[in-house]
Amino acid sequence: MTAQTLTIRRPDDWHVHLRDGEMLTRVAPYTARQFGRAIIMPNLTPPVMTVEAAQTYRERILAAVGEGFTPLMTCYLTDGADPDEMERGFAEKVWVAAKLYPAHATTNSAHGVTDIRNVYPVLERMQRIGMVLCVHGEVTDSSVDIFDREAVFIDRVLTGVVADFPELKIVLEHITTSEAAAFVGSAGPNIAATVTPQHLIINRNAIFAGGLRPHAYCLPVAKREQHRLAVRQAATSGSAKFFLGTDSAPHERAAKESSCGCAGIFNAPFALESYATVFDEEGALDRFEAFASENGPRFYGLPLNDSFVTLERINHVVPDTVAGLVPFHAGETLGWRLAA
Ligand code: NCD
Ligand code: ZN
């Protein structure tokens, strides 16, 4: 008989956008309901670049979610980032990682890094102190086709960083291609990747299904089917290098449904349900706990959570809107549900 419930150690989300202000109070409870901890992306306006900014942002998150959820803060890397400030924030346990956005790669990345060499002194220090580098892996060169930007980033930037900093812990985030899955899979144990629900579930056809579908648009953009299958294979393979990172990235409906719609999929409300469906379809439910709850903390050198969550096999329809936003899977039926 197939199992009707699945109880796993409480998962963490190793990449999420919780935003700020009113949007923060609206969306953060969905992440806190599903996850014990989360790596909080620093791409606010202005970005979170100082120890003090990360501290006060952490307090605002805690005020929005209450007890039982731990935000893990990150520092937004800029061309002028200071290695001493980086080390201070890490030593004071304010941030656990730094985030590399190539300038203009995505939402609120205007202050991002214009040339990787500009942050070499910081990377050198991070390698020495064992601080994780989270990478948005896309080149921003407009002459490179948008569907190739991740693979080209691996060739032009990441390969060099890994060669120059062989001990640096790097998470290639929200991977979308067979090239990324292969690169991470064959790299050393200090290189890992996060995988979103959407990149396991949709390919690029979803963005154009019967018309332009802004709620299927995120960055990195979904790729061809062969890439989805490669990412799915990697995530469900049992390799400890791949772990959960939703990249839930809420935008107001009007900002998505616009002549220039924002990139980002709001998947927080049913993220575990999405992932469980994928692992179930792949016959890999026995590997789901490692992906969701073990590989991430082990890579970051953090303890595993000591509480548990249960998912039930039951059909339920995802609402058209959640908190006034359009969630991933809106209107679709999911076969798993997180028990209250
Ligand atoms: C993110 C956002 O909206 O902040 N958007 C997205 O499509 N993922 C930025 C990012 O992580 O690229
Ligand atoms: Zn993101």
Side-chain angles (χ1 to χ4, degrees):
M1 216 187 81
T2 49
Q4 298 304 304
T5 65
L6 179 67
T7 296
I8 59 170
R9 197 176 283 283
R10 187 171 197 82
D12 305 300
D13 183 352
W14 299 95
H15 179 133
V16 69
H17 300 268
L18 291 185
R19 311 305 193 201
D20 207 350
E22 186 271 334
M23 181 70 103
L24 167 65
T25 53
R26 237 195 301 164
V27 302
Y30 295 96
T31 292
R33 178 173 173 267
Q34 298 220 327
F35 300 106
R37 295 166 290 195
I39 286 276
I40 311 299
M41 286 297 123
N43 62 330
L44 305 180
T45 35
V48 179
M49 298 181 289
T50 65
V51 180
E52 284 64 35
Q55 248 161 348
T56 55
Y57 183 32
R58 180 166 68 185
E59 278 157 27
R60 294 195 297 280
I61 294 168
L62 288 170
V65 296
E67 292 289 293
F69 173 77
T70 305
L72 304 172
M73 310 310 290
T74 58
C75 171
Y76 183 111
L77 274 183
T78 59
D79 282 344
D82 174 8
D84 292 334
E85 177 79 349
M86 193 62 64
E87 183 165 357
R88 178 171 77 91
F90 187 66
E92 291 177 6
K93 300 200 184 307
V94 176
W95 45 49
V96 303
K99 171 72 189 238
L100 171 68
Y101 285 108
H104 306 292
T106 187
T107 311
N108 297 341
S109 61
H111 301 265
V113 172
T114 59
D115 182 336
I116 190 72
R117 298 243 160 220
N118 293 337
V119 292
Y120 263 33
V122 173
L123 301 187
E124 208 284 318
R125 186 70 61 90
M126 289 171 64
Q127 171 173 257
R128 179 155 11 116
I129 64 181
M131 182 173 169
V132 172
L133 177 70
C134 295
V135 177
H136 183 110
E138 290 191 289
V139 292
T140 54
D141 182 343
S142 61
S143 69
V144 176
D145 189 281
I146 189 166
F147 294 100
D148 297 333
R149 287 180 191 173
E150 182 174 280
V152 172
F153 180 88
I154 292 169
D155 279 350
R156 285 194 195 164
V157 184
L158 191 57
T159 304
V161 172
V162 171
D164 292 337
F165 303 98
E167 305 294 322
L168 179 61
K169 285 168 123 180
I170 300 175
V171 179
L172 183 56
E173 303 192 285
H174 40 52
I175 59 165
T176 62
T177 58
S178 59
E179 287 90 345
F183 180 86
V184 172
S186 63
N190 55 317
I191 313 293
T194 54
V195 185
T196 75
Q198 60 264 24
H199 295 117
L200 293 167
I201 293 171
I202 63 171
N203 64 31
R204 65 191 195 177
N205 287 343
I207 307 164
F208 309 100
L212 202 51
R213 301 281 186 167
H215 300 290
Y217 172 56
C218 66
L219 287 171
V221 70
K223 307 297 191 297
R224 286 178 181 275
E225 179 65 0
Q226 72 197 61
H227 294 292
R228 184 185 75 98
L229 295 177
V231 171
R232 238 171 126 100
Q233 203 285 326
T236 60
S237 67
S239 164
K241 293 169 145 284
F242 299 94
F243 44 84
L244 188 160
T246 64
D247 195 17
S248 184
H251 291 277
E252 293 294 355
R253 215 174 154 158
K256 294 283 299 170
E257 299 170 7
S258 143
S259 60
C260 186
C262 291
I265 294 179
F266 178 47
N267 60 32
F270 300 99
L272 287 177
E273 290 87 339
S274 287
Y275 286 114
T277 302
V278 170
F279 276 73
D280 194 9
E281 287 168 1
E282 295 293 325
L285 277 179
D286 58 328
R287 297 171 178 170
F288 183 49
E289 183 171 32
F291 173 82
S293 318
E294 296 173 359
N295 298 346
R298 286 194 179 124
F299 185 83
Y300 274 84
L302 295 168
L304 305 188
N305 290 322
D306 49 21
S307 59
F308 290 80
V309 299
T310 297
L311 288 142
E312 309 164 321
R313 191 190 290 280
I314 185 167
N315 284 342
H316 63 106
V317 179
V318 173
D320 291 334
T321 60
V322 173
L325 305 165
V326 179
F328 187 42
H329 299 297
E332 295 171 15
T333 300
L334 286 170
W336 286 90
R337 192 176 64 188
L338 181 63

